[in-house]
PDB file of all heavy atoms in Angstrom:
ATOM      1  N   GLN A1201       3.101  -5.249  12.316  1.00  0.00           N
ATOM      2  CA  GLN A1201       3.276  -4.004  11.571  1.00  0.00           C
ATOM      3  C   GLN A1201       2.177  -3.860  10.505  1.00  0.00           C
ATOM      4  O   GLN A1201       1.574  -2.796  10.357  1.00  0.00           O
ATOM      5  CB  GLN A1201       4.662  -3.994  10.923  1.00  0.00           C
ATOM      6  CG  GLN A1201       4.975  -2.746  10.127  1.00  0.00           C
ATOM      7  CD  GLN A1201       4.859  -1.489  10.960  1.00  0.00           C
ATOM      8  OE1 GLN A1201       5.278  -1.455  12.109  1.00  0.00           O
ATOM      9  NE2 GLN A1201       4.254  -0.459  10.396  1.00  0.00           N
ATOM     10  N   ARG A1204      -1.146  -3.144  12.124  1.00  0.00           N
ATOM     11  CA  ARG A1204      -1.251  -1.736  12.550  1.00  0.00           C
ATOM     12  C   ARG A1204      -1.656  -0.850  11.388  1.00  0.00           C
ATOM     13  O   ARG A1204      -2.296   0.158  11.553  1.00  0.00           O
ATOM     14  CB  ARG A1204       0.101  -1.240  13.081  1.00  0.00           C
ATOM     15  CG  ARG A1204       0.266  -1.377  14.577  1.00  0.00           C
ATOM     16  CD  ARG A1204       1.390  -0.481  15.065  1.00  0.00           C
ATOM     17  NE  ARG A1204       2.670  -0.864  14.531  1.00  0.00           N
ATOM     18  CZ  ARG A1204       3.453  -1.784  15.054  1.00  0.00           C
ATOM     19  NH1 ARG A1204       3.095  -2.405  16.146  1.00  0.00           N
ATOM     20  NH2 ARG A1204       4.605  -2.087  14.499  1.00  0.00           N
ATOM     21  N   ASN A1205      -1.242  -1.234  10.192  1.00  0.00           N
ATOM     22  CA  ASN A1205      -1.612  -0.449   9.003  1.00  0.00           C
ATOM     23  C   ASN A1205      -2.946  -0.905   8.425  1.00  0.00           C
ATOM     24  O   ASN A1205      -3.274  -0.594   7.286  1.00  0.00           O
ATOM     25  CB  ASN A1205      -0.525  -0.572   7.938  1.00  0.00           C
ATOM     26  CG  ASN A1205       0.386   0.632   7.979  1.00  0.00           C
ATOM     27  OD1 ASN A1205      -0.079   1.753   8.080  1.00  0.00           O
ATOM     28  ND2 ASN A1205       1.677   0.391   7.927  1.00  0.00           N
ATOM     29  N   GLU A1206      -3.660  -1.692   9.201  1.00  0.00           N
ATOM     30  CA  GLU A1206      -5.014  -2.134   8.852  1.00  0.00           C
ATOM     31  C   GLU A1206      -5.090  -3.008   7.606  1.00  0.00           C
ATOM     32  O   GLU A1206      -6.066  -2.962   6.868  1.00  0.00           O
ATOM     33  CB  GLU A1206      -5.969  -0.934   8.757  1.00  0.00           C
ATOM     34  CG  GLU A1206      -6.118  -0.255  10.104  1.00  0.00           C
ATOM     35  CD  GLU A1206      -7.000   0.973  10.094  1.00  0.00           C
ATOM     36  OE1 GLU A1206      -7.723   1.189   9.112  1.00  0.00           O
ATOM     37  OE2 GLU A1206      -6.949   1.716  11.082  1.00  0.00           O
ATOM     38  N   ALA A1376      -9.461   6.984   0.988  1.00  0.00           N
ATOM     39  CA  ALA A1376      -8.640   6.092   1.821  1.00  0.00           C
ATOM     40  C   ALA A1376      -9.074   6.151   3.284  1.00  0.00           C
ATOM     41  O   ALA A1376      -8.663   5.324   4.089  1.00  0.00           O
ATOM     42  CB  ALA A1376      -7.164   6.478   1.700  1.00  0.00           C
ATOM     43  N   THR A1377      -9.937   7.126   3.611  1.00  0.00           N
ATOM     44  CA  THR A1377     -10.376   7.250   5.012  1.00  0.00           C
ATOM     45  C   THR A1377     -11.626   6.412   5.293  1.00  0.00           C
ATOM     46  O   THR A1377     -12.077   6.339   6.427  1.00  0.00           O
ATOM     47  CB  THR A1377     -10.705   8.723   5.358  1.00  0.00           C
ATOM     48  OG1 THR A1377     -11.771   9.155   4.507  1.00  0.00           O
ATOM     49  CG2 THR A1377      -9.507   9.634   5.167  1.00  0.00           C
ATOM     50  N   LYS A1402      -7.544  11.285  -0.705  1.00  0.00           N
ATOM     51  CA  LYS A1402      -7.406  11.715   0.698  1.00  0.00           C
ATOM     52  C   LYS A1402      -6.381  10.893   1.485  1.00  0.00           C
ATOM     53  O   LYS A1402      -6.573  10.632   2.675  1.00  0.00           O
ATOM     54  CB  LYS A1402      -8.775  11.718   1.391  1.00  0.00           C
ATOM     55  CG  LYS A1402      -9.822  12.489   0.579  1.00  0.00           C
ATOM     56  CD  LYS A1402     -11.048  12.845   1.368  1.00  0.00           C
ATOM     57  CE  LYS A1402     -12.090  13.499   0.464  1.00  0.00           C
ATOM     58  NZ  LYS A1402     -13.252  14.019   1.100  1.00  0.00           N
ATOM     59  N   LEU A1403      -5.323  10.471   0.823  1.00  0.00           N
ATOM     60  CA  LEU A1403      -4.259   9.769   1.546  1.00  0.00           C
ATOM     61  C   LEU A1403      -3.643  10.658   2.617  1.00  0.00           C
ATOM     62  O   LEU A1403      -3.071  10.163   3.582  1.00  0.00           O
ATOM     63  CB  LEU A1403      -3.171   9.281   0.573  1.00  0.00           C
ATOM     64  CG  LEU A1403      -3.275   7.805   0.220  1.00  0.00           C
ATOM     65  CD1 LEU A1403      -4.489   7.548  -0.646  1.00  0.00           C
ATOM     66  CD2 LEU A1403      -2.032   7.308  -0.486  1.00  0.00           C
ATOM     67  N   ASP A1404      -3.768  11.971   2.414  1.00  0.00           N
ATOM     68  CA  ASP A1404      -3.236  12.903   3.405  1.00  0.00           C
ATOM     69  C   ASP A1404      -4.041  12.890   4.699  1.00  0.00           C
ATOM     70  O   ASP A1404      -3.594  13.405   5.708  1.00  0.00           O
ATOM     71  CB  ASP A1404      -3.237  14.328   2.829  1.00  0.00           C
ATOM     72  CG  ASP A1404      -4.616  14.736   2.308  1.00  0.00           C
ATOM     73  OD1 ASP A1404      -5.199  13.963   1.524  1.00  0.00           O
ATOM     74  OD2 ASP A1404      -5.104  15.803   2.699  1.00  0.00           O
ATOM     75  N   GLU A1405      -5.213  12.272   4.668  1.00  0.00           N
ATOM     76  CA  GLU A1405      -6.056  12.310   5.867  1.00  0.00           C
ATOM     77  C   GLU A1405      -6.016  11.015   6.667  1.00  0.00           C
ATOM     78  O   GLU A1405      -6.770  10.844   7.609  1.00  0.00           O
ATOM     79  CB  GLU A1405      -7.510  12.608   5.466  1.00  0.00           C
ATOM     80  CG  GLU A1405      -7.694  14.050   5.018  1.00  0.00           C
ATOM     81  CD  GLU A1405      -9.157  14.419   4.835  1.00  0.00           C
ATOM     82  OE1 GLU A1405     -10.026  13.596   5.148  1.00  0.00           O
ATOM     83  OE2 GLU A1405      -9.402  15.534   4.358  1.00  0.00           O
ATOM     84  N   THR A1406      -5.159  10.104   6.272  1.00  0.00           N
ATOM     85  CA  THR A1406      -5.073   8.853   7.045  1.00  0.00           C
ATOM     86  C   THR A1406      -3.621   8.400   7.187  1.00  0.00           C
ATOM     87  O   THR A1406      -2.796   8.639   6.306  1.00  0.00           O
ATOM     88  CB  THR A1406      -5.915   7.725   6.400  1.00  0.00           C
ATOM     89  OG1 THR A1406      -5.738   6.531   7.171  1.00  0.00           O
ATOM     90  CG2 THR A1406      -5.537   7.461   4.959  1.00  0.00           C
ATOM     91  N   GLY A1407      -3.358   7.754   8.309  1.00  0.00           N
ATOM     92  CA  GLY A1407      -2.001   7.250   8.544  1.00  0.00           C
ATOM     93  C   GLY A1407      -1.895   5.792   8.160  1.00  0.00           C
ATOM     94  O   GLY A1407      -0.799   5.257   8.000  1.00  0.00           O
ATOM     95  N   SER A1408      -3.020   5.123   8.002  1.00  0.00           N
ATOM     96  CA  SER A1408      -2.938   3.692   7.678  1.00  0.00           C
ATOM     97  C   SER A1408      -3.497   3.439   6.287  1.00  0.00           C
ATOM     98  O   SER A1408      -4.624   3.804   5.979  1.00  0.00           O
ATOM     99  CB  SER A1408      -3.678   2.860   8.716  1.00  0.00           C
ATOM    100  OG  SER A1408      -4.882   3.482   9.057  1.00  0.00           O
ATOM    101  N   ILE A1409      -2.664   2.808   5.479  1.00  0.00           N
ATOM    102  CA  ILE A1409      -3.014   2.679   4.065  1.00  0.00           C
ATOM    103  C   ILE A1409      -3.240   1.221   3.665  1.00  0.00           C
ATOM    104  O   ILE A1409      -3.200   0.870   2.497  1.00  0.00           O
ATOM    105  CB  ILE A1409      -1.935   3.305   3.174  1.00  0.00           C
ATOM    106  CG1 ILE A1409      -0.561   2.684   3.491  1.00  0.00           C
ATOM    107  CG2 ILE A1409      -1.891   4.808   3.317  1.00  0.00           C
ATOM    108  CD1 ILE A1409       0.454   2.913   2.410  1.00  0.00           C
ATOM    109  N   GLY A1410      -3.497   0.400   4.681  1.00  0.00           N
ATOM    110  CA  GLY A1410      -3.713  -1.024   4.405  1.00  0.00           C
ATOM    111  C   GLY A1410      -4.849  -1.280   3.427  1.00  0.00           C
ATOM    112  O   GLY A1410      -4.833  -2.272   2.698  1.00  0.00           O
ATOM    113  N   GLN A1447       5.765   1.935   3.248  1.00  0.00           N
ATOM    114  CA  GLN A1447       4.923   2.523   4.293  1.00  0.00           C
ATOM    115  C   GLN A1447       4.156   1.439   5.059  1.00  0.00           C
ATOM    116  O   GLN A1447       4.029   1.519   6.276  1.00  0.00           O
ATOM    117  CB  GLN A1447       3.935   3.482   3.629  1.00  0.00           C
ATOM    118  CG  GLN A1447       3.527   4.633   4.540  1.00  0.00           C
ATOM    119  CD  GLN A1447       2.656   5.632   3.795  1.00  0.00           C
ATOM    120  OE1 GLN A1447       2.893   5.922   2.618  1.00  0.00           O
ATOM    121  NE2 GLN A1447       1.646   6.142   4.460  1.00  0.00           N
ATOM    122  N   LEU A1448       3.702   0.426   4.339  1.00  0.00           N
ATOM    123  CA  LEU A1448       2.979  -0.662   5.003  1.00  0.00           C
ATOM    124  C   LEU A1448       3.879  -1.396   5.992  1.00  0.00           C
ATOM    125  O   LEU A1448       3.438  -1.886   7.007  1.00  0.00           O
ATOM    126  CB  LEU A1448       2.441  -1.657   3.962  1.00  0.00           C
ATOM    127  CG  LEU A1448       1.227  -1.198   3.167  1.00  0.00           C
ATOM    128  CD1 LEU A1448       0.941  -2.164   2.019  1.00  0.00           C
ATOM    129  CD2 LEU A1448       0.000  -1.073   4.069  1.00  0.00           C
ATOM    130  N   GLY A1450       6.163   0.046   7.675  1.00  0.00           N
ATOM    131  CA  GLY A1450       6.585   0.978   8.719  1.00  0.00           C
ATOM    132  C   GLY A1450       7.769   1.817   8.329  1.00  0.00           C
ATOM    133  O   GLY A1450       8.393   2.448   9.174  1.00  0.00           O
ATOM    134  N   SER A1452       7.891   4.527   6.364  1.00  0.00           N
ATOM    135  CA  SER A1452       7.683   5.952   6.085  1.00  0.00           C
ATOM    136  C   SER A1452       6.799   6.522   7.172  1.00  0.00           C
ATOM    137  O   SER A1452       6.168   5.799   7.925  1.00  0.00           O
ATOM    138  CB  SER A1452       6.983   6.139   4.747  1.00  0.00           C
ATOM    139  OG  SER A1452       7.723   5.533   3.739  1.00  0.00           O
ATOM    140  N   ASP A1453       6.761   7.855   7.211  1.00  0.00           N
ATOM    141  CA  ASP A1453       5.931   8.507   8.235  1.00  0.00           C
ATOM    142  C   ASP A1453       4.455   8.341   7.895  1.00  0.00           C
ATOM    143  O   ASP A1453       4.080   8.285   6.757  1.00  0.00           O
ATOM    144  CB  ASP A1453       6.255  10.008   8.273  1.00  0.00           C
ATOM    145  CG  ASP A1453       7.708  10.194   8.659  1.00  0.00           C
ATOM    146  OD1 ASP A1453       8.216   9.352   9.396  1.00  0.00           O
ATOM    147  OD2 ASP A1453       8.304  11.184   8.188  1.00  0.00           O
TER     148      ASP A1453
END
Side-chain angles (χ1 to χ4, degrees):
Q1201 181 57 41
R1204 267 198 296 275
N1205 261 316
E1206 296 178 14
T1377 61
K1402 309 196 185 186
L1403 259 70
D1404 54 309
E1405 288 189 5
T1406 178
S1408 42
I1409 55 162
Q1447 210 174 321
L1448 285 170
S1452 303
D1453 298 329

